[in-house]
């Protein structure tokens, strides 16, 4: 939903039905748009194949050559072996933050990155919802901590969160 409000995107195609029928509908929708480029920021086999099946002449994704055979669901690395589905690839670098890694896609596309500020674009309904939650807080400072992660390897130990909060 946040992507739908971005002024930087012309169109958002929502993919919810993960059954075979939904996948076929998604592939047809992608082909219908006649994209000139498909950029895969996920790096899974499914998304690599989606870029290929979209028929976009330029397909950019992770170049995972030399990376262990792991996927995002088991270690946070792109899938090894899907690079042949792209026309250009960004070498995966586990030594930098993922935000910086994703910024590398812009370099690959010759798009200068002038501002590294991360922005989200909530809807009016999102803003109203947040205001309702914050009404009872008065003038107090509010700190939000998100302790979850999709992969267990990315989870920070509870003791570290506890120490951070107590500081």
């Amino acid at each position: 939903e946040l992507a739908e409000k971005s002024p930087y995107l012309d169109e958002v195609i929502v993919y919810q039905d993960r059954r075979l029928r939904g996948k076929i509908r998604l592939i047809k929708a992608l082909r219908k748009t006649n994209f000139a480029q498909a950029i895969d920021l996920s790096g899974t086999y499914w998304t690599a194949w989606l870029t290929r099946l979209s028929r976009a002449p330029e397909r950019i994704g992770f170049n995972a050559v030399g990376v262990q055979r792991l996927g995002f669901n088991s270690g946070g690395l792109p899938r090894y072996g899907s690079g042949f589905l792209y026309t250009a690839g960004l070498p995966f670098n586990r030594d930098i933050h993922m935000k910086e890694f994703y910024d590398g896609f812009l370099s690959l596309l010759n798009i200068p990155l002038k501002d590294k500020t991360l922005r989200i674009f909530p809807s009016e309904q999102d803003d109203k919802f947040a205001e309702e939650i914050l009404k009872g807080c008065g003038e107090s400072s509010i700190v939000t901590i998100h302790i979850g992660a999709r992969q267990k390897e990315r989870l920070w130990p509870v003791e570290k969160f506890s120490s951070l909060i107590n500081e």
Side-chain angles (χ1 to χ4, degrees):
E1 291 177 18
L2 288 175
E4 292 173 348
K5 299 294 179 188
S6 173
Y8 305 113
L9 302 175
D10 295 325
E11 181 179 1
V12 175
I13 298 173
V14 178
Y15 167 58
Q16 292 177 326
D17 184 355
R18 301 201 183 270
R19 296 174 293 180
L20 180 59
R21 181 175 54 218
K23 290 178 181 185
I24 291 170
R25 260 191 246 124
L26 175 61
I27 292 165
K28 286 181 179 179
L30 292 173
R31 286 180 174 176
K32 190 176 175 181
T33 58
N34 293 315
F35 288 117
Q37 292 177 327
I39 303 168
D40 179 8
L41 300 176
S42 294
T44 66
Y45 286 131
W46 166 240
T47 56
W49 274 106
L50 266 182
T51 62
R52 179 66 182 99
L53 294 170
S54 73
R55 294 188 180 148
E58 187 176 7
R59 299 174 308 279
I60 301 163
F62 291 104
N63 181 357
V65 176
V67 175
Q68 295 173 338
R69 190 182 170 97
L70 295 172
F72 275 108
N73 293 331
S74 60
L77 299 173
R79 297 269 184 188
Y80 175 74
S82 59
F84 73 96
L85 298 165
Y86 307 121
T87 57
L90 184 68
F92 185 74
N93 182 351
R94 76 164 66 218
D95 296 327
I96 61 174
H97 189 275
M98 287 304 289
K99 163 100 173 54
E100 290 181 35
F101 177 71
Y102 287 128
D103 290 346
F105 277 95
L106 296 174
S107 297
L108 196 62
L109 295 164
N110 295 316
I111 299 172
L113 181 60
K114 297 174 185 168
D115 182 3
K116 289 190 174 194
T117 306
L118 184 62
R119 292 186 175 84
I120 59 171
F121 304 93
S123 67
E124 286 182 36
Q125 182 180 356
D126 295 329
D127 286 339
K128 287 178 185 173
F129 179 76
E131 285 173 17
E132 283 298 313
I133 290 175
L134 299 175
K135 263 185 190 175
C137 297
E139 297 296 318
S140 302
S141 296
I142 298 171
V143 176
T144 304
I145 298 176
H146 175 50
I147 62 169
R150 202 179 326 173
Q151 296 86 26
K152 66 178 182 176
E153 295 82 3
R154 293 184 176 182
L155 285 173
W156 211 28
V158 174
E159 304 79 42
K160 299 253 186 192
F161 280 109
S162 179
S163 173
L164 176 67
I165 292 167
N166 289 330
E167 285 182 24

